[in-house]
Amino acid sequence: MSAALKVGAVVITMGNRPDELRALLESVAKQDGDPVEVVVVGNGSPVPDVPEGVRTIELPENLGIPGGRNVGIEAFGPGGRDVDILLFLDDDGLLARTDTAELCRRAFAADPRLGIISFRIADPDTGVTQRRHVPRLRASDPMRSSRVTTFLGGANAVRTRVFAEVGGLPDAFFYAHEETDLAWRALDAGWMIDYRSDMVLYHPTTAPSRHAVYHRMVARNRVWLARRNLPAPLVPVYLGVWLLLTLVRRPSRPALKAWFGGFREGWTTPCGPRRPMKWRTVWRLTRLGRPPVI
């Protein structure tokens, strides 16, 4: 049954990591089972040389991470329907094993309500998985697989029926929290999300704050996330908790200024369609260990 599931992969690139991109594509080509069809999206930049058989799309402008990935999804037909599963992989990552695609096929075939799988990200030199890369509150043991409430954007697999049912990633987010927006919509539609420690993407250890827009985007998009998806009584609770957590972490003065600017922007700009999750979804998130107030 798993062999019948067709797998594709979407990689977005800014064209500035040609060696890493080629290594990633080679690791995808080495996957066991039927070949994985790959689309590389140049997000406002030319695509470097890629192996024969890899499709490329060059966008005239940078659409951001969700926008670029949505273009990649549509390259496999509306909502990605030409394949059953899509892998989303960072262009400087590397699949650690040759059985990852086959493990995905088996997982999705065995559980018809499984919609998304989040891979484990590990440093290629040390093998260490950063705590922030384990998508649950109890993150001390990255080797423990579990059901979760969100996933990692550059190391995951999605059943394409999820896109057909709930739509793609939110283009306007550009960077940050777009995965949680999709995850909440998928959970609200009855899909499940798994974190799998045996599906590994090697990726150099980095800090998310290396991106100049990090603090503003994180704050703005968190407000948008709440406004779009949470029942009205939970919106101020969720954002109040994150405001307190941000202050406790004591960011630098420029970072805090950028954060408050993004927080204000999140309230004063359109967030897209509002579809608050059902209260039973709130309870499901709570039972899975992450109530939607943190």
Side-chain angles (χ1 to χ4, degrees):
M1 184 176 177
S2 65
L5 296 179
K6 295 177 62 177
V7 181
V10 173
V11 181
I12 59 173
T13 183
M14 299 292 291
N16 56 348
R17 294 189 281 236
D19 295 338
E20 292 90 338
L21 174 61
R22 179 166 283 272
L24 168 67
L25 297 176
E26 289 174 355
S27 74
V28 174
K30 292 176 183 176
Q31 292 299 297
D32 301 336
D34 292 339
V36 177
E37 183 181 350
V38 183
V39 169
V40 177
V41 178
N43 214 354
S45 65
V47 176
D49 290 338
V50 296
E52 186 177 353
V54 173
R55 287 194 287 157
T56 63
I57 300 171
E58 294 185 353
L59 302 177
E61 62 178 311
N62 183 355
L63 300 182
I65 293 173
R69 287 184 176 140
N70 282 338
V71 169
I73 293 168
E74 295 301 307
F76 290 92
R81 69 184 182 191
D82 293 345
V83 293
D84 302 293
I85 303 163
L86 277 176
L87 311 181
F88 295 88
L89 306 170
D90 276 351
D91 68 342
D92 56 344
L94 183 76
L95 289 174
R97 296 165 42 160
T98 62
D99 63 350
T100 302
E102 183 57 25
L103 288 173
C104 287
R105 292 186 185 98
R106 293 176 188 170
F108 285 116
D111 185 351
R113 295 313 301 166
L114 179 61
I116 302 171
I117 298 174
S118 188
F119 300 168
R120 180 168 65 89
I121 293 178
D123 184 272
D125 297 321
T126 65
V128 171
T129 296
Q130 292 179 273
R131 186 181 182 90
R132 69 184 182 88
H133 284 153
V134 182
R136 59 177 179 243
L137 291 179
R138 297 177 180 177
S140 59
D141 182 7
M143 300 307 294
R144 179 173 67 87
S145 299
S146 69
R147 284 265 151 100
V148 291
T149 62
T150 189
F151 64 99
L152 306 173
N156 67 79
V158 181
R159 192 191 297 267
T160 53
R161 282 177 53 202
V162 173
F163 298 127
E165 190 167 339
V166 306
L169 295 156
D171 286 347
F173 278 42
F174 197 85
Y175 164 79
H177 301 317
E178 67 273 5
E179 303 92 352
T180 300
D181 187 88
L182 176 61
W184 283 0
R185 285 182 281 127
L187 288 163
D188 196 48
W191 296 100
M192 301 301 293
I193 305 171
D194 279 356
Y195 165 74
R196 288 283 297 265
S197 64
D198 57 336
M199 302 181 188
V200 181
L201 184 85
Y202 284 147
H203 189 282
T205 298
T206 56
S209 55
R210 71 190 185 279
H211 299 290
V213 297
Y214 172 77
H215 295 287
R216 181 176 70 87
M217 292 290 192
V218 161
R220 183 198 69 180
N221 291 359
R222 198 175 292 285
V223 177
W224 281 357
L225 179 69
R227 290 174 59 198
R228 284 163 59 94
N229 294 288
L230 290 181
L234 294 185
V235 173
V237 179
Y238 176 81
L239 295 175
V241 167
W242 278 104
L243 172 61
L244 290 174
L245 285 173
T246 299
L247 295 175
V248 166
R249 291 168 178 170
R250 302 180 67 180
S252 67
R253 186 180 295 273
L256 194 60
K257 182 179 179 181
W259 193 94
F260 274 110
F263 192 81
R264 182 169 53 252
E265 184 182 349
W267 284 108
T268 59
T269 54
C271 64
R274 173 167 166 76
R275 300 186 181 96
M277 66 178 65
K278 307 173 190 72
W279 282 104
R280 68 168 178 253
T281 304
V282 173
W283 177 236
R284 283 183 67 203
L285 290 163
T286 303
R287 286 189 292 113
L288 288 169
R290 189 154 200 162
V293 294
I294 188 169

